């Protein structure tokens, strides 16, 4: 299924979102074209094929693009095509996000590079990423110096691939003492003994090092090691085992060199996609099947860990997960990923609510948020929790309010404005709710009664917060788990604030029985793990 972006949504966000940088002097990227195809306007040659639909695309978008010459500003374009500036801004935002346009001016004249490389940087180098213009990427390459070490045959073949792309020097001492240098070491069975000394020197001299391990069947590109923000090489390869069993076949040299050159180009230019610097890629040299492995610091490592004690053999599973979803440091951050917030399928997630259609509905009083205004009254004794108190707590912590402009605005912050935190209420007090378990339906502000069985415990109410992983995973993938736990903590903090404001006794539960609670509420821990529990009353 394709990804849909709407000019209306992007244009509305472009005025307030600083990560959406619509070109001031837009120009069509090198090697791309717009053409009519039936009722649509097609974008060919970009990193992803795009189709622009609708009457405006058919009648006006083509002539608008024709005016984008890299020297005309938005008001000038609007005048030339006789359209309001607001409509032109929305159109340019959509074209920019689709990879059709880039900035007409860069950091100055680019270094002498071939037309093919210029086209690569402009056409495949996503203009919504780091570089506003292909000339910025070319300037980065012009400042880059690379030293290739390790296996001599692989180093020479890679140097040939990088000829005309960036400067390649023969010795480590020839590298400049700045941030634009890179050392690449080709680790094979025969060259492996030379790696420890080079690894140590690069770490001490604060030089980035890219390790490439090659044997007869596979290549491991990475880890990328930079003392400024990555684990050391020893930690990055802790689970690899022994040296490569054999060397690479001669016929694999060009393939290995080409892939290494591609990722060196990506690292240096910030214009071509790569899984570096955070992950290593293990590539099967026959099928090209690739799997990825994050680099993680081992607790107690004397080189890159702050913890004391013996060095762990392997990093903990939680640390590996955090490393696998981590965002790169700012200098490697590609803001193109931010546009995922404006994909129609992701924006629609804000309006998708769970229903529990077979469960009886239990109405809740309207949430009277005026009770939270003013100065908190100093009550002598804790108040009893009533239905109105519970309704207010659930609405503020988990509920939604709809603004007049149609945007969903939740009372409490949620990742992507999606609302991954689901609230369940267990009642042990008939004066608040009939005894049983309930799910809060935030879309309608009522409860779905799941069970009438009693759950052992002393406090009148138990608030259980879970993570809706399928909903978050559809947008964020494995990163959604982390956001879900964050959402659960934020929602529970809001519930605690409301309880304190209403002078309701509450206490956090720090050790609960996952299995018992999940069975009682009918939850699947794999899809809806419990993230927080609080007793109220």
């Amino acid at each position: 299924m394709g990804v849909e972006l709407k000019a209306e949504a992007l244009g509305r966000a472009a005025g307030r979102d600083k990560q959406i940088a619509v070109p001031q002097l837009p120009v069509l990227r090198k090697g791309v074209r717009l053409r009519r195809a039936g009722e649509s306007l097609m974008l060919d040659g970009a990193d992803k094929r795009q189709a622009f639909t609708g009457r405006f695309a058919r009648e006006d978008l083509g002539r608008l693009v024709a005016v984008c010459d890299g020297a005309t500003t938005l008001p000038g374009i609007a005048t030339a095509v006789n359209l309001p500036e607001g409509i032109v801004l929305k159109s340019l935002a959509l074209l920019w996000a689709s990879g059709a346009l880039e900035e007409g001016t860069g950091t100055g004249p680019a270094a002498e590079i071939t037309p093919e490389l210029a086209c690569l940087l402009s056409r495949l180098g996503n203009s919504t990423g780091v570089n506003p213009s292909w000339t910025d990427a070319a300037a980065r390459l012009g400042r880059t110096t690379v030293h290739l070490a390790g296996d001599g045959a692989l180093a020479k073949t890679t140097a040939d691939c990088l000829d005309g792309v960036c400067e390649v020097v023969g010795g480590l001492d020839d590298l400049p003492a700045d941030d634009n240098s890179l050392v690449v070491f080709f680790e094979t069975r025969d060259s492996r003994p030379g790696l420890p000394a080079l690894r140590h020197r690069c770490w001490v001299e604060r030089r980035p090092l890219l390790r490439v391990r090659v044997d007869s069947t596979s290549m491991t590109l990475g880890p990328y090691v930079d003392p400024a923000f990555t684990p050391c090489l020893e930690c990055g390869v802790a689970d690899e085992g022994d040296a490569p069993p054999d060397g690479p076949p001669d016929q694999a040299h060009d393939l290995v060199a080409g892939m290494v050159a591609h990722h060196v180009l990506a690292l240096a230019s910030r214009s071509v996609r790569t899984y570096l610097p955070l992950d290593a890629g293990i590539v099967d040299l026959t099928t090209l099947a690739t799997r990825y492995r994050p680099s993680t610091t081992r607790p107690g490592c004397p080189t890159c860990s702050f913890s004391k004690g013996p060095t762990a053999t392997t990093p903990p599973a939680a640390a590996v997960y955090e490393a696998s979803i981590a965002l790169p440091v700012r200098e490697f951050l590609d803001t193109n990923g931010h546009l995922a917030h404006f994909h129609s399928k992701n924006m629609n997630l804000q309006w998708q609510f769970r229903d529990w259609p077979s469960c009886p509905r239990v109405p809740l009083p309207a949430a009277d948020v005026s009770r939270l205004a003013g100065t908190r009254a100093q009550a002598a004794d804790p108040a009893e929790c009533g239905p109105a108190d519970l309704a207010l707590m659930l609405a503020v912590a988990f509920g939604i309010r709809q603004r007049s402009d149609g945007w969903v605005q939740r009372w409490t912050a949620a990742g992507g404005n999606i609302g991954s935190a689901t609230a369940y209420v267990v009642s042990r007090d008939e004066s608040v709710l009939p005894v049983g378990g309930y799910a809060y339906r935030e879309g309608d502000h009522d409860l779905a009664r799941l069970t009438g069985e009693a759950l052992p415990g002393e406090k009148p109410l138990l608030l259980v917060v879970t993570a809706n992983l399928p909903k978050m995973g559809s947008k964020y993938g494995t990163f959604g788990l982390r956001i879900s736990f964050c959402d659960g903590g934020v929602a529970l903090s809001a519930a605690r604030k409301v309880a304190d404001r209403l002078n309701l006794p509450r206490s956090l539960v720090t050790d609960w029985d996952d299995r018992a609670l999940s069975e009682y509420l009918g939850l699947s821990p794999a899809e809806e793990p419990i993230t927080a529990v609080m007793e109220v009353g």
Side-chain angles (χ1 to χ4, degrees):
M1 181 181 295
V3 172
E4 183 183 64
L5 282 169
K6 292 186 177 180
E8 183 67 30
L10 276 176
R12 183 163 48 180
R16 64 175 185 268
D17 194 322
K18 296 188 181 300
Q19 294 191 71
I20 299 179
V22 180
Q24 300 299 305
L25 297 171
V27 65
L28 198 65
R29 293 164 67 181
K30 293 179 178 292
V32 304
R33 67 168 183 172
L34 289 168
R35 61 176 175 86
R36 284 292 298 269
E39 295 298 306
S40 302
L41 196 66
M42 301 298 298
L43 173 64
D44 295 329
D47 53 350
K48 293 180 181 178
R49 196 179 187 193
Q50 307 280 335
F52 302 97
T53 59
R55 183 183 60 82
F56 182 86
R58 293 191 301 270
E59 298 178 3
D60 298 309
L61 198 59
R63 62 191 187 94
L64 187 152
V65 170
V67 185
C68 296
D69 55 4
T72 306
T73 61
L74 187 150
I77 295 173
T79 301
V81 296
N82 194 27
L83 289 172
E85 289 189 17
I87 292 179
V88 173
L89 174 63
K90 294 175 183 178
S91 303
L92 293 178
L94 180 63
L95 289 165
W96 169 80
S98 303
L101 299 177
E102 63 185 348
E103 189 65 69
T105 58
T107 55
E112 291 295 330
I113 62 175
T114 63
E116 293 82 4
L117 180 55
C119 187
L120 169 71
L121 296 175
S122 178
R123 183 169 64 87
L124 296 183
N126 200 303
S127 62
T128 60
V130 175
N131 301 295
S133 167
W134 75 269
T135 59
D136 295 270
R140 289 178 185 271
L141 287 176
R143 297 191 298 265
T144 300
T145 306
V146 178
H147 169 55
L148 305 173
D151 185 87
L154 290 173
K156 182 182 184 307
T157 308
T158 305
D160 293 339
C161 293
L162 293 174
D163 184 35
V165 175
C166 57
E167 182 181 1
V168 178
V169 297
L172 196 60
D173 293 329
D174 298 327
L175 288 174
D178 57 28
D179 296 332
N180 299 307
S181 62
L182 173 66
V183 178
V184 181
F185 187 90
F186 293 93
E187 179 188 354
T188 61
R189 181 185 57 185
D190 296 332
S191 67
R192 180 183 174 93
L195 180 57
L198 181 69
R199 174 188 69 202
H200 175 74
R201 181 175 174 184
C202 286
W203 186 269
V204 171
E205 296 181 359
R206 315 288 291 179
R207 294 188 184 278
L209 169 65
L210 174 62
R211 192 286 312 255
V212 182
R213 173 187 168 116
V214 190
D215 58 32
S216 62
T217 60
S218 66
M219 174 189 76
T220 302
L221 183 59
Y224 175 90
V225 178
D226 187 331
F229 64 91
T230 73
C232 67
L233 185 58
E234 299 97 311
C235 286
V237 301
D239 57 352
E240 274 190 352
D242 299 329
D246 45 28
D250 293 341
Q251 61 268 27
H253 285 191
D254 287 342
L255 175 61
V256 171
M259 287 191 287
V260 172
H262 169 91
H263 289 279
V264 169
L265 170 67
L267 283 170
S269 69
R270 314 285 204 273
S271 190
V272 180
R273 295 192 182 279
T274 176
Y275 44 78
L276 300 171
L278 296 186
D279 291 334
I282 299 94
V283 184
D284 186 296
L285 295 179
T286 302
T287 66
L288 297 185
T290 306
R291 55 189 178 91
Y292 306 99
R293 185 185 68 216
S295 184
T296 314
T297 294
R298 298 166 298 164
C301 172
T303 304
C304 63
S305 175
F306 287 97
S307 63
K308 306 299 182 183
T311 302
T313 305
T314 57
V320 175
Y321 169 73
E322 286 293 326
S324 71
I325 62 166
L327 292 175
V329 294
R330 185 176 180 84
E331 64 179 303
F332 285 98
L333 186 64
D334 182 354
T335 55
N336 178 54
H338 179 67
L339 293 174
H341 289 295
F342 305 101
H343 294 168
S344 295
K345 67 180 181 66
N346 289 333
M347 296 185 70
N348 291 338
L349 291 174
Q350 302 174 21
W351 300 91
Q352 295 178 10
F353 308 112
R354 299 178 65 187
D355 191 47
W356 295 273
S358 62
C359 297
R361 301 287 180 264
V362 178
L364 286 171
D368 183 8
V369 295
S370 65
R371 299 175 63 193
L372 304 177
T375 305
R376 176 186 175 185
Q378 298 297 324
D381 298 314
E384 293 292 334
C385 182
D389 301 322
L390 176 62
L392 181 58
M393 184 186 307
L394 292 174
V396 171
F398 304 93
I400 65 168
R401 53 179 175 173
Q402 184 177 346
R403 302 192 328 189
S404 58
D405 60 6
W407 284 63
V408 174
Q409 184 177 18
R410 300 176 185 274
W411 292 101
T412 296
N417 198 19
I418 291 176
S420 66
T422 302
Y424 293 88
V425 178
V426 178
S427 174
R428 305 185 182 104
D429 186 345
E430 292 282 348
S431 66
V432 183
L433 286 171
V435 172
Y438 302 82
Y440 177 56
R441 301 172 67 247
E442 69 268 38
D444 295 323
H445 185 60
D446 61 16
L447 297 173
R449 190 173 190 186
L450 306 176
T451 178
E453 296 181 5
L455 184 72
E458 299 178 357
K459 300 300 175 68
L461 294 178
L462 191 69
L463 178 61
V464 180
V465 186
T466 67
N468 189 345
L469 290 186
K471 188 177 183 182
M472 294 302 286
S474 65
K475 176 179 178 180
Y476 292 105
T478 54
F479 186 59
L481 176 65
R482 189 171 194 242
I483 297 178
S484 296
F485 274 90
C486 181
D487 283 354
V490 172
L492 193 67
S493 295
R496 292 165 60 191
K497 290 285 188 181
V498 174
D500 292 344
R501 187 73 175 181
L502 301 178
N503 201 35
L504 300 175
R506 51 87 179 167
S507 57
L508 295 180
V509 178
T510 58
D511 186 13
W512 62 82
D513 189 330
D514 264 317
R515 179 176 297 179
L517 277 179
S518 296
E519 290 179 353
Y520 177 77
L521 296 171
L523 307 178
S524 169
E527 293 189 349
E528 194 175 1
I530 298 172
T531 58
V533 180
M534 182 172 75
E535 291 181 320
V536 183

